[in-house]
Amino acid sequence: VIAGLVIDGRDPGVETFLVAEDLDFLTFMQALSAIFFTFGGQFMFYELMAEMTDFTEFPWTFSIAGPFQVPIYLIVGTVGYYYKGEAASGYFLDNLDFGWMYRAASALLFFHMTVGFLILGNVFSRIVHIKLSPYRVNDLGLRGKLEWLRCTSFVIVGSFV
């Protein structure tokens, strides 16, 4: 998306403000909640650490991923706002014209969402499995696998309903 905006260039009529002129309390809180949602994966850390063979390695992985995320979000937001100004769309891909860059960005977003769903879906399915059948959570027999299939199917169907 950033590459597409840079290639297309900034329109002459784009207006940007240090602080939005129509900023009110509700708009500010909505923007703040979007930032919190962006970093909302924090609750998953404990679940991921519980599944790791050596959970003491988790801070090392977070020390790489955490500082990488903040500058990327800042760059995307700043560059997007610079090129589109107050006309920037809330859905970032809508800032691109429909073409090959839009399709490529959509494919990457689909891949990102798929990987994220697989990770979160597995953790959530395990939580469901622990609640429904705590004695067969780690059972690799037929009944344990059927229960796991039932839990993951429930999560998948529930996600798309």
Side-chain angles (χ1 to χ4, degrees):
V1 175
I2 297 297
L5 291 174
V6 172
I7 290 170
D8 290 343
R10 183 177 170 163
D11 292 333
V14 170
E15 292 185 10
T16 56
F17 306 98
L18 183 59
V19 176
E21 291 181 334
D22 59 345
L23 182 67
D24 59 0
F25 181 74
L26 181 62
T27 307
F28 176 77
M29 293 307 287
Q30 287 173 337
L32 190 61
S33 68
I35 292 170
F36 289 151
F37 179 75
T38 300
F39 294 98
Q42 311 295 337
F43 76 95
M44 289 293 297
F45 293 162
Y46 301 111
E47 298 296 331
L48 294 171
M49 286 171 57
E51 297 300 318
M52 291 178 71
T53 305
D54 183 11
F55 69 90
T56 60
E57 292 181 7
F58 185 79
W60 177 78
T61 60
F62 184 71
S63 67
I64 293 171
F68 178 75
Q69 287 177 323
V70 174
I72 292 298
Y73 285 124
L74 285 173
I75 290 169
V76 168
T78 304
V79 171
Y81 185 65
Y82 172 77
Y83 281 99
K84 289 296 183 177
E86 61 184 12
S89 172
Y91 180 59
F92 203 59
L93 289 183
D94 286 342
N95 293 310
L96 287 175
D97 295 328
F98 190 76
W100 73 270
M101 291 213 97
Y102 184 88
R103 290 185 183 116
S106 295
L108 290 171
L109 182 61
F110 175 77
F111 177 74
H112 172 73
M113 295 301 292
T114 302
V115 169
F117 179 78
L118 287 173
I119 293 169
L120 294 173
N122 272 312
V123 172
F124 185 65
S125 295
R126 183 164 174 83
I127 292 170
V128 170
H129 198 183
I130 289 170
K131 294 292 181 190
L132 295 177
S133 181
Y135 301 110
R136 289 199 171 72
V137 171
N138 295 319
D139 181 10
L140 297 179
L142 180 63
R143 183 163 178 183
K145 288 180 180 179
L146 287 175
E147 287 180 0
W148 176 250
L149 176 65
R150 184 180 68 200
C151 292
T152 55
S153 299
F154 168 77
V155 169
I156 291 170
V157 170
S159 298
F160 292 103
V161 171

